[in-house]
Amino acid sequence: MQKDRKIRAMAITIIGIAVIGLSIGYATLSQVLNISGTANIKGQNWDVVFEDLKEPTANDGLVGSAKGVSASLTTTTLSFAAELSLPGDAITYRFKVANNGTIDAILSEVPVLSGLSEAQAQNVVYEFTYEDGTLIKANDELPAGETKNLKLVIKFDADATTVSEEDKQLSLSTTMNYVQK
């Protein structure tokens, strides 16, 4: 029993020395690695706007009874009133959409003119294109710093077989929804 006790005491001492030795060895062989760095976030801004509304053109300068009654443009809205009296009358609005921001933009969907009743839609047609006549499509890009010229033409269908006997004001609208590219 005395012998057992000596063996146990010796085993505990040896184990203690081994643990201390391994700890010192680990501390000697270990290395602390530090990672440091800097990240900069560049300031960006979103600024897609309408601008530069030109004087409306009636019938593209040809003879007709169309009249531009009023037109105004804010950075986000084109408002207008026009008189179209006879088949073939048309009024053209020219303006720009500009990306004055630093983030590239894309058009999320094709703009559609709304506000026409079914009966009105039979006689009133519209074309919403780029100035050169190219159709406006979903996913059209508007890179930062660029401007595109737009043209909106509202027409009394030249092939219309009926005309209204009373004046009717049309409240038309469309949306150009640009999103981040």
Side-chain angles (χ1 to χ4, degrees):
M1 193 145 132
Q2 190 69 310
K3 195 173 180 183
D4 257 355
R5 205 180 255 181
K6 281 185 181 182
I7 293 175
R8 280 188 200 156
M10 193 183 296
I12 290 173
T13 304
I14 292 173
I15 291 172
I17 292 172
V19 168
I20 291 172
L22 287 173
S23 298
I24 292 171
Y26 176 75
T28 302
L29 297 176
S30 69
Q31 178 73 31
V32 174
L33 300 176
N34 292 317
I35 299 174
S36 63
T38 303
N40 293 323
I41 299 174
K42 186 177 177 184
Q44 299 289 323
N45 72 319
W46 179 260
D47 190 20
V48 177
V49 297
F50 290 137
E51 60 186 21
D52 197 23
L53 175 64
K54 304 292 185 204
E55 187 67 30
T57 307
N59 297 317
D60 279 332
L62 302 175
V63 175
S65 60
K67 287 193 271 185
V69 176
S70 67
S72 66
L73 187 69
T74 67
T75 57
T76 58
T77 304
L78 166 66
S79 302
F80 61 90
E83 290 180 9
L84 305 175
S85 302
L86 299 171
D89 279 354
I91 191 87
T92 302
Y93 299 91
R94 289 178 172 84
F95 55 102
K96 297 177 182 178
V97 61
N99 186 347
N100 297 328
T102 57
I103 302 170
D104 292 343
I106 59 171
L107 190 60
S108 66
E109 59 192 359
V110 177
V112 176
L113 196 67
S114 61
L116 293 173
S117 70
E118 192 173 314
Q120 292 167 336
Q122 292 176 7
N123 291 333
V124 177
V125 293
Y126 74 97
E127 297 171 3
F128 195 18
T129 63
Y130 293 108
E131 179 69 29
D132 65 2
T134 305
L135 293 177
I136 297 172
K137 301 179 299 295
N139 298 318
D140 281 355
E141 296 183 9
L142 185 58
E146 289 197 13
T147 300
K148 292 194 178 185
N149 296 322
L150 303 175
K151 179 171 71 170
L152 175 62
V153 180
I154 309 295
K155 296 180 184 179
F156 193 137
D157 188 1
D159 297 327
T161 56
T162 60
V163 293
S164 176
E165 292 180 15
E166 54 190 55
D167 292 347
K168 293 183 182 173
Q169 185 170 352
L170 304 177
S171 295
L172 307 176
S173 65
T174 189
T175 300
M176 294 186 77
N177 188 24
Y178 280 92
V179 296
Q180 181 176 337
K181 180 177 175 188

